[in-house]
Amino acid sequence: MSHSLTKLYTHIIFHIKDSNSPIRPSEMNNLYNYIGTILKDNNSAPIQIGGTNDHIHILCVVSKNISLAKLVEEIKRHSSRWIKTLDPFYRCFAWQTGYAAFSVSSSVCSKTINYIKNQQEHHRKMTRTEEYILFLKEYDIEYNEKYLWID
C-alpha cells in the first residue's frame, strides 16, 4: 500500500489522583471541550467526552501518527495544567498515572456514546471500581485488584 489508512476507535478512561480535588460540575463541560481541543491538536478526533467528578471517559479516533500512550500523556498533562489555572481550588489537581483504553467496534460506537453521555446516571447504580472491573473482565484483561487505584 502506498498510504497508511486507519480508523481506530478507542475508549479511554482515567481518574483523578486525589479525591480532595474533584472536578466541579461547573467546570466539566469546559474541561471536556479542552480535552477535545487537545485531541484535535494531536490529529485525533473526539467523538464523545464525559464522566463524573472523579473520572473521565473519552471516545475518540486515535491518529495513526501518535501512540496511545503519548496521546493520553498529552491529554493528562495539558488538561491538568489548564484546570489549575481556573481556580485555587484545583492547585493540587492531578490525574492518576495509569489509564484504561479499549478498542471499540464501529458497530457499537453509538452504544459507547450513550454510555459516556449517561455517566452521572450510571454511577448512581455502580461505583467506579465496579465499572472498571466490569470493563477489565469484559475485555479479558488480567489484573490485581490491589493495584487498581495506586500510583
Side-chain angles (χ1 to χ4, degrees), residues 22-79:
I23 303 163
R24 296 185 295 202
S26 58
E27 276 96 35
M28 284 182 180
N29 284 333
N30 288 336
L31 175 61
Y32 303 156
N33 290 334
Y34 192 78
I35 289 172
T37 300
I38 297 166
L39 285 161
K40 291 174 189 172
D41 288 347
N42 286 278
N43 300 313
S44 297
I47 298 171
Q48 185 67 47
I49 303 169
T52 66
N53 67 348
D54 67 357
H55 71 282
I56 296 282
H57 289 259
I58 301 167
L59 177 61
C60 63
V61 176
V62 177
S63 169
K64 69 182 185 312
N65 297 318
I66 190 168
S67 72
L68 178 62
K70 181 66 175 170
L71 180 62
V72 173
E73 176 188 328
E74 290 292 302
I75 294 167
K76 287 180 175 182
R77 184 166 50 95
H78 289 293
S79 64

Side-chain angles (χ1 to χ4, degrees), residues 10-15 23 28 31-32 35-36 39 46-60 75 95 100-102 112-120 122-123 126-129 131-132 135 149:
T10 305
H11 183 177
I12 302 166
I13 308 166
F14 50 87
H15 300 264
I23 303 163
M28 284 182 180
L31 175 61
Y32 303 156
I35 289 172
L39 285 161
I47 298 171
Q48 185 67 47
I49 303 169
T52 66
N53 67 348
D54 67 357
H55 71 282
I56 296 282
H57 289 259
I58 301 167
L59 177 61
C60 63
I75 294 167
W95 298 111
F102 307 98
T112 306
I113 290 167
N114 288 331
Y115 175 79
I116 293 171
K117 282 182 179 178
N118 293 308
Q119 279 295 291
Q120 298 294 332
H122 173 74
H123 284 288
M126 182 180 287
T127 68
R128 75 173 186 173
T129 301
E131 172 190 56
Y132 192 48
F135 271 108
W149 308 117

